[in-house]
Amino acid sequence: MEPSPSRDTVVIAHYGRLRRLCRLLLGDPQEAEDVVQEVFLKAHEAEQLGRAPMDWAAWLTRVAVNACRDRRRAGGWMRFRLRSRPIDDLPLVADAPGPGDVAVSEDTRRRIWTAFRGLPRRQQEVFALRYIEEQATADVAVALGLSPGSVKRHLYRAVRHLRRALEDAR
Amino acid sequence: MNACLSDDALARAHADLASIAERAHLAACAACTARSRQMRRDLDLITAVLRDSREPLARVTRTRRRWLPAAVGLSAAAVALLWVEVAVWRAVTPVPPTMQPQEVAAILTDVSASLFSVSGDPASAPADAAPLSLESMAREVDSTLTGGEP
């Protein structure tokens, strides 16, 4: 049997991915950071209690998505109180626009982000996991507690909505 | 051959929801294949933007605007409280009764008669006497205290 990876290994392997996912789902970098810390704390507790999952990636994703949902349910006041200014954020990418950023106009980026935020939460989650995290449909279904068919329907609606926003930008 | 797939049908194909007929058409039609590739490129672009670019600051502005209704509501509540205090509360609060000058004079007369009665009984005021004014009562009290001298 394969030994369970150490805590540091798990953190190193999944920290960036979870942070990006939570940022995408919450829209606030500081809150996303808090959620990721919370997720790794839960992972530590699970490990201490001898309930370490076989598949850390799926477990962490599921816990992170649930934590993001809890944060969103907590209401607007908590989000306002905890909301950080984007200017304080440490960017995931370099401040200078890369070739891809230059190629995509500011208007197009804004439209894509606006369209994404206009999606229902479930569609945001499905799109983020399926396309940003590049998970298989079956894994997305497990992470979100949905059937694969439901994941596909959410994905279809999300793709249709986002593509329309992109076409409007052209 | 079937008509080319609609954009919705292509999106369904990307989500693995296309029917067998739609998949068969997609495999055979060069035009639809090209459109499907374009859709794939669009999705790659959308994914890249969401993954690598910062979210525009418009969200912060929107968050601030979200507080506008709350601020308006609080202001309206403050105005309503002020109105309740000024109009309603004062209207329902009973005003202390004010006495007419005649009532005051009558009470003072009774008090005066009780205080300065010689026989122990209250001195009754003459029936036909006109109501005393405050000045005349003051003079009467003064003359009583000074032994009848004006």
Side-chain angles (χ1 to χ4, degrees):
Chain A
M1 186 174 170
E2 199 170 308
S4 178
S6 73
R7 196 183 318 147
D8 288 349
T9 312
V10 171
V11 172
I12 290 167
H14 299 285
Y15 175 79
R17 175 180 77 82
L18 290 178
R19 188 164 176 250
R20 184 176 59 202
L21 176 64
C22 292
R23 274 182 63 155
L24 203 56
L25 296 182
L26 293 170
D28 181 78
Q30 188 58 53
E31 205 174 352
E33 187 72 43
D34 291 347
V35 168
V36 173
Q37 298 296 333
E38 192 181 314
V39 169
F40 281 121
L41 188 64
K42 285 181 180 170
H44 174 67
E45 288 169 357
E47 200 177 19
Q48 293 292 308
L49 294 170
R51 295 202 302 246
M54 296 293 290
D55 184 355
W56 274 109
W59 188 91
L60 290 168
T61 301
R62 193 166 55 245
V63 172
V65 169
N66 287 334
C68 290
R69 281 183 196 160
D70 289 344
R71 289 274 172 151
R72 287 196 299 259
R73 282 195 206 106
W77 167 247
M78 188 176 180
R79 281 203 298 280
F80 175 79
R81 192 168 58 83
L82 298 174
R83 182 172 290 276
S84 58
R85 296 291 305 275
I87 198 168
D88 298 329
D89 178 37
L90 293 172
L92 289 173
V93 294
D95 278 345
D101 290 340
V102 172
V104 182
S105 72
E106 180 62 32
D107 182 56
T108 302
R109 274 203 297 271
R110 187 175 294 275
R111 280 176 183 273
I112 289 172
W113 273 107
T114 304
F116 182 75
R117 290 294 173 218
L119 290 174
R121 291 294 181 185
R122 185 70 86 182
Q123 289 179 29
Q124 287 186 25
E125 291 169 1
V126 168
F127 189 87
L129 291 178
R130 181 69 184 86
Y131 281 108
I132 311 292
E133 296 297 314
E134 298 178 340
Q135 293 189 7
T137 302
D139 294 339
V140 176
V142 170
L144 298 180
L146 299 170
S147 68
S150 184
V151 168
K152 289 175 185 175
R153 280 190 292 276
H154 283 304
L155 196 62
Y156 156 67
R157 293 188 190 115
V159 166
R160 193 177 53 175
H161 180 77
L162 291 170
R163 266 205 88 224
R164 279 182 188 156
L166 190 59
E167 283 168 359
D168 289 346
R170 285 176 179 150
Chain B
M1 194 64 192
N2 295 337
C4 281
L5 299 178
S6 65
D7 282 352
D8 275 0
L10 283 177
R12 278 201 301 276
H14 272 275
D16 200 18
L17 284 172
S19 65
I20 295 171
E22 286 170 336
R23 283 202 294 267
H25 176 87
L26 189 57
C29 176
C32 287
T33 303
R35 286 171 57 222
S36 180
R37 283 190 190 131
Q38 178 60 44
M39 182 175 278
R40 181 72 249 177
R41 282 194 291 273
D42 289 350
L43 279 173
D44 287 344
L45 173 64
I46 291 166
T47 303
V49 166
L50 294 176
R51 187 182 54 221
D52 300 330
S53 75
R54 287 189 189 188
E55 190 165 1
L57 293 175
R59 269 181 59 77
V60 174
T61 307
R62 198 176 62 185
T63 304
R64 285 181 184 157
R65 280 186 194 149
R66 209 182 294 163
W67 281 90
L68 192 60
V72 169
L74 282 174
S75 304
V79 169
L81 278 174
L82 194 65
W83 179 78
V84 165
E85 163 63 18
V86 168
V88 179
W89 180 253
R90 291 190 181 174
V92 299
T93 304
V95 179
T98 55
M99 299 177 76
Q100 297 299 316
Q102 289 83 0
E103 293 173 307
V104 174
I107 289 169
L108 286 175
T109 304
D110 289 344
V111 170
S112 174
S114 301
L115 285 175
F116 306 112
S117 167
V118 178
S119 61
D121 294 331
S124 58
D128 56 347
L132 292 173
S133 64
L134 290 174
E135 290 80 7
S136 62
M137 282 191 292
R139 275 198 303 273
E140 188 179 330
V141 170
D142 194 37
S143 64
T144 305
L145 291 176
T146 56
E149 294 177 8

Coordinates of all heavy atoms in Angstrom, one line a residue, chain A residues 19-20 23-24 26-29 83-98 100-102 104-117 132, chain B residues 45-60:
Chain A
R19 N -6.1 27.9 -4.0 CA -6.2 29.3 -3.9 C -6.9 29.9 -5.1 O -7.7 30.8 -5.0 CB -4.8 29.9 -3.7 CG -4.8 31.4 -3.3 CD -3.5 31.8 -2.8 NE -3.4 33.2 -2.6 CZ -2.7 34.0 -3.3 NH1 -2.0 33.6 -4.3 NH2 -2.7 35.3 -3.0
R20 N -6.5 29.5 -6.3 CA -7.0 30.0 -7.5 C -8.5 29.6 -7.6 O -9.3 30.4 -8.0 CB -6.3 29.3 -8.7 CG -6.7 29.8 -10.1 CD -5.8 29.2 -11.1 NE -5.9 27.7 -11.1 CZ -5.0 26.9 -11.6 NH1 -3.9 27.4 -12.2 NH2 -5.1 25.6 -11.6
R23 N -10.5 31.8 -5.2 CA -10.5 33.2 -5.7 C -11.6 33.3 -6.8 O -12.4 34.2 -6.8 CB -9.2 33.6 -6.3 CG -8.2 34.1 -5.3 CD -7.0 34.6 -6.0 NE -7.2 35.6 -7.0 CZ -6.3 36.5 -7.3 NH1 -5.1 36.4 -6.8 NH2 -6.5 37.4 -8.2
L24 N -11.6 32.3 -7.6 CA -12.6 32.3 -8.7 C -14.0 32.2 -8.2 O -14.9 32.9 -8.7 CB -12.3 31.1 -9.6 CG -12.8 31.2 -11.1 CD1 -12.3 32.4 -11.7 CD2 -12.4 30.0 -11.9
L26 N -15.1 32.9 -5.1 CA -15.5 34.0 -4.1 C -15.3 35.4 -4.6 O -15.9 36.3 -4.2 CB -14.7 33.8 -2.8 CG -15.0 32.5 -2.0 CD1 -14.0 32.4 -0.9 CD2 -16.4 32.6 -1.4
G27 N -14.3 35.5 -5.5 CA -14.1 36.9 -6.1 C -13.3 37.8 -5.2 O -13.1 39.0 -5.4
D28 N -12.8 37.2 -4.1 CA -12.0 38.1 -3.1 C -10.7 37.3 -2.7 O -10.8 36.2 -2.1 CB -12.8 38.4 -1.9 CG -12.1 39.2 -0.9 OD1 -12.0 40.5 -1.2 OD2 -11.6 38.7 0.1
P29 N -9.6 37.9 -3.0 CA -8.3 37.2 -2.7 C -8.1 36.9 -1.2 O -7.7 35.8 -0.9 CB -7.3 38.1 -3.2 CG -7.9 39.1 -4.0 CD -9.4 39.2 -3.6
R83 N -13.8 41.9 2.8 CA -13.3 42.1 1.4 C -12.0 42.9 1.4 O -11.9 43.9 2.1 CB -14.4 42.8 0.6 CG -14.0 43.1 -0.8 CD -15.2 43.6 -1.5 NE -16.2 42.6 -1.7 CZ -16.2 41.7 -2.6 NH1 -15.2 41.7 -3.5 NH2 -17.2 40.8 -2.7
S84 N -11.1 42.4 0.7 CA -9.8 43.1 0.6 C -9.7 43.9 -0.7 O -10.4 43.5 -1.7 CB -8.6 42.1 0.7 OG -8.7 41.2 -0.4
R85 N -9.0 44.9 -0.7 CA -8.8 45.6 -2.0 C -7.9 44.9 -2.9 O -6.9 44.4 -2.5 CB -8.2 47.0 -1.7 CG -9.1 47.9 -0.8 CD -10.3 48.3 -1.6 NE -10.0 49.0 -2.8 CZ -9.7 50.3 -2.9 NH1 -9.7 51.0 -1.8 NH2 -9.4 50.8 -4.1
P86 N -8.3 44.8 -4.2 CA -7.4 44.1 -5.1 C -6.0 44.7 -5.2 O -5.1 43.9 -5.5 CB -8.1 44.3 -6.4 CG -9.6 44.5 -6.1 CD -9.5 45.3 -4.8
I87 N -5.9 45.9 -4.8 CA -4.5 46.5 -4.9 C -3.6 45.9 -3.9 O -2.3 45.9 -4.1 CB -4.6 48.1 -4.7 CG1 -3.4 48.8 -5.3 CG2 -4.9 48.4 -3.3 CD1 -3.5 50.2 -5.4
D88 N -4.1 45.4 -2.9 CA -3.3 44.8 -1.8 C -2.9 43.3 -2.2 O -2.2 42.7 -1.4 CB -4.0 44.8 -0.5 CG -4.3 46.2 0.0 OD1 -3.5 47.1 -0.4 OD2 -5.3 46.4 0.6
D89 N -3.5 42.9 -3.2 CA -3.4 41.4 -3.5 C -2.0 41.1 -4.1 O -1.5 41.9 -4.9 CB -4.5 41.0 -4.5 CG -4.4 39.6 -4.8 OD1 -4.0 38.8 -4.0 OD2 -4.7 39.3 -6.0
L90 N -1.5 40.0 -3.7 CA -0.3 39.5 -4.4 C -0.8 38.7 -5.6 O -1.5 37.7 -5.5 CB 0.5 38.6 -3.5 CG 1.2 39.2 -2.3 CD1 1.7 38.2 -1.3 CD2 2.2 40.2 -2.7
P91 N -0.4 39.2 -6.8 CA -1.0 38.5 -8.0 C -0.4 37.1 -8.2 O 0.7 36.8 -7.8 CB -0.6 39.5 -9.1 CG 0.7 40.1 -8.6 CD 0.5 40.2 -7.1
L92 N -1.2 36.3 -8.8 CA -0.7 35.0 -9.2 C 0.2 35.1 -10.4 O 1.0 34.2 -10.6 CB -1.9 34.1 -9.5 CG -2.8 33.7 -8.3 CD1 -4.0 33.0 -8.8 CD2 -2.0 32.8 -7.4
V93 N 0.0 36.1 -11.1 CA 0.8 36.3 -12.3 C 1.6 37.6 -12.2 O 1.3 38.4 -11.3 CB 0.0 36.3 -13.6 CG1 -0.6 34.9 -13.8 CG2 -1.1 37.3 -13.5
A94 N 2.5 37.8 -13.1 CA 3.3 39.1 -13.0 C 2.4 40.3 -13.3 O 1.3 40.2 -14.0 CB 4.4 39.0 -14.1
D95 N 2.7 41.4 -12.7 CA 1.9 42.6 -12.9 C 1.9 43.1 -14.3 O 0.9 43.5 -14.8 CB 2.5 43.7 -12.0 CG 2.0 43.6 -10.6 OD1 1.0 42.8 -10.4 OD2 2.5 44.2 -9.7
A96 N 3.1 42.9 -15.0 CA 3.1 43.3 -16.4 C 2.3 42.4 -17.2 O 2.3 41.2 -17.0 CB 4.6 43.3 -16.8
P97 N 1.5 42.9 -18.1 CA 0.7 42.0 -18.9 C 1.5 41.1 -19.8 O 2.5 41.6 -20.4 CB -0.2 43.0 -19.8 CG 0.6 44.3 -19.8 CD 1.3 44.3 -18.5
G98 N 1.2 39.9 -19.8 CA 1.9 38.9 -20.6 C 1.3 39.0 -22.1 O 0.4 39.8 -22.4
G100 N -0.5 37.0 -23.7 CA -1.9 36.7 -23.8 C -2.8 37.8 -23.4 O -3.8 38.1 -24.0
D101 N -2.3 38.5 -22.3 CA -3.1 39.7 -21.8 C -3.2 40.8 -22.9 O -4.2 41.4 -23.0 CB -2.5 40.2 -20.5 CG -2.7 39.2 -19.4 OD1 -3.6 38.4 -19.5 OD2 -2.0 39.3 -18.4
V102 N -2.0 41.0 -23.5 CA -2.0 42.0 -24.5 C -2.9 41.7 -25.7 O -3.6 42.5 -26.2 CB -0.5 42.2 -25.1 CG1 -0.5 43.1 -26.2 CG2 0.3 42.7 -23.9
V104 N -5.6 39.9 -25.6 CA -7.0 40.0 -25.2 C -7.3 41.5 -24.7 O -6.6 42.0 -23.8 CB -7.4 39.1 -24.1 CG1 -8.9 39.2 -23.7 CG2 -7.1 37.6 -24.5
S105 N -8.3 42.1 -25.4 CA -8.5 43.5 -25.0 C -9.1 43.6 -23.6 O -9.7 42.6 -23.1 CB -9.4 44.1 -26.0 OG -10.7 43.6 -25.8
E106 N -9.0 44.8 -23.0 CA -9.5 45.0 -21.7 C -11.0 44.8 -21.7 O -11.6 44.3 -20.8 CB -9.2 46.5 -21.3 CG -9.7 46.9 -19.9 CD -9.1 46.1 -18.8 OE1 -7.9 45.6 -18.9 OE2 -9.8 45.8 -17.8
D107 N -11.6 45.3 -22.8 CA -13.1 45.1 -22.9 C -13.5 43.6 -22.9 O -14.5 43.3 -22.2 CB -13.6 45.8 -24.1 CG -15.1 45.7 -24.2 OD1 -15.8 46.2 -23.3 OD2 -15.6 45.2 -25.3
T108 N -12.8 42.9 -23.6 CA -13.1 41.4 -23.7 C -12.9 40.8 -22.3 O -13.7 40.0 -21.9 CB -12.1 40.7 -24.7 OG1 -12.3 41.4 -26.0 CG2 -12.5 39.3 -24.8
R109 N -11.8 41.1 -21.7 CA -11.6 40.5 -20.3 C -12.7 40.9 -19.4 O -13.2 40.1 -18.6 CB -10.3 41.1 -19.7 CG -9.1 40.2 -20.2 CD -7.9 40.4 -19.2 NE -7.5 41.8 -19.1 CZ -6.5 42.3 -19.9 NH1 -5.9 41.5 -20.8 NH2 -6.1 43.5 -19.7
R110 N -13.1 42.2 -19.4 CA -14.1 42.6 -18.5 C -15.5 41.9 -18.8 O -16.2 41.5 -17.9 CB -14.3 44.2 -18.7 CG -15.3 44.8 -17.7 CD -15.3 46.3 -17.9 NE -14.0 46.9 -17.5 CZ -13.6 47.2 -16.3 NH1 -14.4 47.0 -15.3 NH2 -12.4 47.8 -16.1
R111 N -15.7 41.8 -20.1 CA -17.0 41.1 -20.5 C -17.0 39.6 -20.0 O -18.0 39.1 -19.5 CB -17.2 41.1 -22.0 CG -17.7 42.4 -22.5 CD -17.8 42.4 -24.0 NE -18.3 43.7 -24.5 CZ -19.5 44.1 -24.6 NH1 -20.5 43.2 -24.4 NH2 -19.9 45.2 -25.1
I112 N -15.8 39.0 -20.1 CA -15.8 37.6 -19.7 C -15.9 37.5 -18.2 O -16.7 36.6 -17.7 CB -14.4 37.0 -20.2 CG1 -14.4 36.8 -21.7 CG2 -14.2 35.6 -19.5 CD1 -13.0 36.4 -22.2
W113 N -15.3 38.3 -17.5 CA -15.4 38.3 -16.0 C -16.9 38.6 -15.6 O -17.4 38.0 -14.7 CB -14.5 39.3 -15.3 CG -13.1 38.7 -15.1 CD1 -12.0 39.0 -15.8 CD2 -12.8 37.7 -14.1 NE1 -10.9 38.2 -15.2 CE2 -11.4 37.5 -14.2 CE3 -13.5 37.0 -13.1 CZ2 -10.7 36.6 -13.4 CZ3 -12.8 36.1 -12.3 CH2 -11.5 35.9 -12.5
T114 N -17.4 39.6 -16.2 CA -18.8 40.0 -15.9 C -19.8 38.8 -16.2 O -20.7 38.5 -15.4 CB -19.2 41.2 -16.7 OG1 -18.3 42.3 -16.4 CG2 -20.6 41.7 -16.3
A115 N -19.5 38.2 -17.4 CA -20.4 37.1 -17.7 C -20.2 35.9 -16.7 O -21.2 35.3 -16.3 CB -20.1 36.6 -19.1
F116 N -19.0 35.7 -16.3 CA -18.8 34.6 -15.4 C -19.5 34.9 -14.0 O -20.1 34.0 -13.5 CB -17.3 34.4 -15.2 CG -16.9 33.3 -14.2 CD1 -17.0 32.0 -14.6 CD2 -16.5 33.5 -12.9 CE1 -16.7 30.9 -13.8 CE2 -16.2 32.5 -12.0 CZ -16.3 31.2 -12.5
R117 N -19.3 36.1 -13.6 CA -20.0 36.5 -12.3 C -21.5 36.5 -12.5 O -22.2 36.4 -11.5 CB -19.5 37.8 -11.9 CG -18.1 37.9 -11.4 CD -17.9 37.0 -10.1 NE -16.5 36.9 -9.7 CZ -16.0 35.8 -9.3 NH1 -16.7 34.7 -9.1 NH2 -14.7 35.8 -8.9
I132 N -11.2 25.2 -15.6 CA -10.0 25.9 -15.0 C -9.2 24.8 -14.3 O -7.9 24.8 -14.5 CB -10.4 26.9 -14.0 CG1 -11.4 27.9 -14.6 CG2 -9.2 27.7 -13.5 CD1 -10.9 28.8 -15.7
Chain B
L45 N -9.8 30.7 -24.6 CA -9.6 32.1 -24.3 C -10.3 32.5 -23.0 O -9.7 33.1 -22.1 CB -10.1 32.9 -25.4 CG -10.1 34.5 -25.2 CD1 -8.7 35.0 -25.0 CD2 -10.8 35.2 -26.3
I46 N -11.5 32.0 -22.9 CA -12.3 32.3 -21.6 C -11.6 31.7 -20.4 O -11.4 32.4 -19.4 CB -13.7 31.8 -21.7 CG1 -14.5 32.6 -22.8 CG2 -14.4 31.8 -20.4 CD1 -15.8 31.9 -23.2
T47 N -11.1 30.5 -20.6 CA -10.4 29.8 -19.5 C -9.2 30.6 -19.1 O -8.9 30.8 -17.9 CB -10.1 28.4 -19.9 OG1 -11.3 27.7 -20.2 CG2 -9.5 27.6 -18.7
A48 N -8.4 31.0 -20.1 CA -7.2 31.7 -19.8 C -7.4 33.0 -19.1 O -6.7 33.4 -18.2 CB -6.4 31.9 -21.2
V49 N -8.4 33.7 -19.6 CA -8.8 35.0 -18.9 C -9.1 34.8 -17.4 O -8.6 35.4 -16.5 CB -9.9 35.7 -19.7 CG1 -10.5 36.9 -18.8 CG2 -9.4 36.2 -21.0
L50 N -10.0 33.8 -17.2 CA -10.4 33.6 -15.8 C -9.3 33.0 -15.0 O -9.3 33.3 -13.8 CB -11.6 32.6 -15.8 CG -12.9 33.1 -16.5 CD1 -14.0 32.0 -16.5 CD2 -13.4 34.3 -15.8
R51 N -8.4 32.3 -15.6 CA -7.3 31.7 -14.8 C -6.2 32.6 -14.5 O -5.6 32.7 -13.4 CB -6.8 30.4 -15.5 CG -5.8 29.6 -14.7 CD -5.3 28.4 -15.5 NE -4.8 28.8 -16.8 CZ -5.0 28.2 -17.9 NH1 -5.7 27.1 -18.0 NH2 -4.5 28.7 -19.0
D52 N -5.9 33.4 -15.5 CA -4.6 34.2 -15.4 C -4.8 35.7 -15.2 O -3.8 36.3 -14.9 CB -3.8 33.9 -16.7 CG -3.4 32.5 -16.9 OD1 -3.3 31.8 -15.9 OD2 -3.3 32.0 -18.1
S53 N -5.9 36.2 -15.5 CA -6.0 37.7 -15.3 C -6.8 38.0 -14.1 O -7.5 37.2 -13.5 CB -6.8 38.2 -16.6 OG -8.2 38.0 -16.4
R54 N -6.5 39.2 -13.6 CA -7.2 39.7 -12.4 C -8.6 40.1 -12.8 O -8.9 40.6 -13.9 CB -6.5 41.0 -11.9 CG -5.2 40.7 -11.3 CD -4.7 42.0 -10.6 NE -3.4 41.9 -10.2 CZ -2.8 42.8 -9.4 NH1 -3.5 43.9 -9.1 NH2 -1.6 42.7 -9.0
E55 N -9.4 40.0 -11.8 CA -10.8 40.4 -12.0 C -10.8 41.9 -12.0 O -10.2 42.6 -11.2 CB -11.7 39.8 -10.8 CG -13.1 40.0 -11.1 CD -14.0 39.2 -10.2 OE1 -13.4 38.5 -9.3 OE2 -15.2 39.3 -10.3
P56 N -11.5 42.5 -13.0 CA -11.6 44.0 -13.0 C -12.1 44.6 -11.8 O -12.9 43.9 -11.0 CB -12.5 44.2 -14.2 CG -12.5 43.0 -15.0 CD -12.3 41.9 -14.0
L57 N -11.7 45.8 -11.5 CA -12.1 46.5 -10.3 C -13.6 46.9 -10.2 O -14.0 47.3 -9.2 CB -11.3 47.8 -10.1 CG -9.8 47.5 -9.9 CD1 -9.1 48.9 -9.9 CD2 -9.6 46.8 -8.6
A58 N -14.3 46.6 -11.3 CA -15.7 47.0 -11.3 C -16.4 46.4 -10.2 O -17.4 46.9 -9.7 CB -16.3 46.6 -12.7
R59 N -16.0 45.2 -9.8 CA -16.7 44.5 -8.7 C -16.7 45.3 -7.4 O -17.6 45.3 -6.6 CB -16.1 43.1 -8.5 CG -16.7 42.1 -9.3 CD -16.1 40.7 -9.0 NE -16.2 40.4 -7.6 CZ -17.3 39.9 -7.0 NH1 -18.4 39.8 -7.7 NH2 -17.3 39.6 -5.8
V60 N -15.5 46.0 -7.2 CA -15.5 46.8 -5.9 C -16.5 47.9 -6.0 O -17.2 48.2 -5.0 CB -14.0 47.3 -5.8 CG1 -14.0 48.3 -4.6 CG2 -13.0 46.2 -5.6

